[in-house]
Amino acid sequence: MKHLTILVPEGQSNLSSIVGAYKLFSRANDYWQETGRQALFIIELAGISKEVDYYDGLFAVRPHRHIASIDKTNLIIIPSLNHNYQLAVAGNELLIEWMEKQYKNGAAIASICTGAFLLASSGLLDGKSCSTHWSAADHFRDLFPNVHLQPDRLITDENGIYTNGGAYSFLNLMIYLIEKYYDRQTAIFCSKVFQIEIDRQSQSAFVIFTGQKLHGDEMVIKAQEYIESKLHEKLSVEELSSRFSVSRRNFDRRFIKATGNTPIEYLQRVKIESAKKAFETTRKTINEVMYEVGYSDVKAFREVFRKITGMSPLEYRDKYNKEAIV
């Protein structure tokens, strides 16, 4: 029988992701037993304290095991953390060392939401793809520049390491892992019992793009502010680089290094974020919004909008603004 270890870090991690992971895998085990098979996993919560308090002592979790008593496990799940990521990492060095040892010994690791900060601190994500909550992406990118962050992705799967986007999207990761370790039918069953949409792959529609400005490159910050002030205009990279007295090649290089986006990608994201807000809060037509954010080609606008949000402009408007005109 395989072993599943759900970590209970020190400090304020997210209780719902611990409970949710435990309940989903427990139900998958039950389903296998109900259909005449042996439970696949021994499921245990493990940490370095006998009890960890949550939400100012309102709840407490008492792990089954101390990590020191676990010589080998097959799958490790890291819950999401609560905001002060550096403090959380500093208080969990033993967990990080144990995780790294287990991975080298063959264990797979799945991080939920901002649990990626704990995972990345081990160095195991260096050179690999990773997702986390979109709101923490800038901070993550600043702390872990060697990780290929993909905040639009709901789930990443690379060399036995799984990560996912934010908040309750961790339920989609649990369904994904259940299909991988049990089978498709068990994943479908659990998705129906817990009413979780199966096969979701993107968190793009939920992203609120606020720009990436924690990088410290003053020239790039000024370029970002200029782009954001000219939403309704068509800007070229040549115009931008000339405005800030750098070559096109050097401008591109510095912009990508600072923000993780090319200047064109950044310009598109800013325009589409403005369009999203218009669709959410006004009764303007698709064409009206398109012109307001500097597009004149309907096809180009639709393609960029879908690339960034995973939805067409009409689908987005209908989903988030029921009062919008047809």
Side-chain angles (χ1 to χ4, degrees):
M1 190 177 292
K2 296 180 183 295
H3 286 252
L4 166 60
T5 304
I6 302 171
L7 295 183
V8 183
E10 296 296 291
Q12 292 297 302
S13 54
N14 194 311
L15 180 60
S16 63
S17 59
I18 295 174
V19 175
Y22 185 82
K23 290 193 68 171
L24 273 159
F25 273 89
S26 295
R27 191 65 188 90
N29 264 352
D30 291 344
Y31 178 75
W32 266 39
Q33 291 177 305
E34 290 164 7
T35 53
R37 292 168 287 186
Q38 184 181 11
L40 185 64
F41 277 107
I42 294 173
I43 306 168
E44 295 179 320
L45 275 59
I48 54 179
S49 294
K50 291 183 177 180
E51 182 173 296
V52 179
D53 288 332
Y54 291 84
Y55 307 111
D56 299 318
L58 184 61
F59 302 104
V61 173
R62 293 183 290 276
H64 299 102
R65 305 272 297 273
H66 190 287
I67 56 168
S69 69
I70 303 174
D71 293 327
K72 182 174 175 58
T73 190
N74 300 99
L75 175 61
I76 299 166
I77 294 177
I78 308 168
S80 61
L81 309 177
N82 280 348
H83 306 305
N84 195 334
Y85 313 120
Q86 287 165 295
L87 182 62
V89 168
N92 285 286
E93 295 93 342
L94 289 176
L95 277 184
I96 293 168
E97 292 173 7
W98 179 83
M99 260 189 325
E100 186 177 2
K101 178 182 176 183
Q102 290 294 326
Y103 181 72
K104 290 177 179 177
N105 198 30
I109 303 178
S111 71
I112 291 172
C113 189
T114 52
F117 282 80
L118 207 62
L119 178 56
S121 297
S122 69
L124 294 175
L125 279 176
D126 286 355
K128 297 183 179 69
S129 297
C130 168
S131 186
T132 189
H133 197 290
W134 58 261
S135 67
D138 285 356
H139 194 183
F140 185 95
R141 193 180 285 110
D142 187 51
L143 289 176
F144 306 108
N146 295 326
V147 179
H148 182 207
L149 184 64
Q150 296 182 289
D152 293 339
R153 293 280 298 279
L154 191 74
I155 295 169
T156 67
D157 176 345
E158 188 172 349
N159 296 332
I161 292 181
Y162 311 94
T163 68
N164 93 287
Y168 287 95
S169 71
F170 83 88
L171 296 170
N172 298 100
L173 175 62
M174 296 303 104
I175 294 294
Y176 180 86
L177 292 173
I178 286 169
E179 179 172 356
K180 183 171 282 284
Y181 281 92
Y182 293 81
D183 55 27
R184 177 72 174 178
Q185 193 56 46
T186 306
I188 291 171
F189 174 80
C190 289
S191 76
K192 290 181 176 179
V193 169
F194 290 96
Q195 299 188 41
I196 302 164
E197 184 181 350
I198 200 166
D199 293 333
R200 261 190 68 209
Q201 294 296 325
S202 174
Q203 62 174 339
S204 297
F206 301 102
V207 173
I208 301 173
F209 186 72
T210 57
Q212 305 114 321
K213 295 175 182 169
L214 299 178
H215 47 76
D217 188 322
E218 289 300 322
M219 185 275 287
V220 174
I221 290 174
K222 289 178 181 178
Q224 290 173 275
E225 290 172 349
Y226 183 76
I227 289 170
E228 290 162 12
S229 72
K230 303 291 182 180
L231 276 181
H232 313 312
E233 299 181 17
K234 291 183 178 180
L235 297 175
S236 69
V237 180
E238 287 77 10
E239 177 186 346
L240 288 168
S241 60
S242 176
R243 182 178 184 83
F244 295 99
S245 302
V246 293
S247 69
R248 164 70 188 267
R249 182 176 179 182
N250 191 39
F251 183 78
D252 282 350
R253 181 186 61 78
R254 286 176 64 174
F255 206 99
I256 293 168
K257 181 180 180 182
T259 70
N261 291 131
T262 67
I264 292 297
E265 288 169 343
Y266 192 88
L267 182 61
Q268 290 174 340
R269 283 182 173 274
V270 169
K271 287 178 178 290
I272 296 307
E273 188 61 34
S274 180
K276 285 163 57 182
K277 289 175 182 176
F279 289 138
E280 292 165 6
T281 60
T282 74
R283 295 170 63 89
K284 293 175 180 175
T285 66
I286 304 298
N287 282 356
E288 286 173 328
V289 172
M290 175 187 74
Y291 290 128
E292 283 188 359
V293 297
Y295 282 89
S296 57
D297 185 317
V298 175
K299 182 180 179 183
F301 177 65
R302 286 174 178 163
E303 287 177 353
V304 173
F305 196 96
R306 183 178 289 279
K307 181 181 76 172
I308 291 174
T309 68
M311 306 168 72
S312 73
L314 183 60
E315 289 169 338
Y316 190 91
R317 189 191 67 177
D318 289 348
K319 184 177 181 69
Y320 290 106
N321 191 343
K322 297 298 184 184
E323 295 181 359
I325 59 175
V326 178

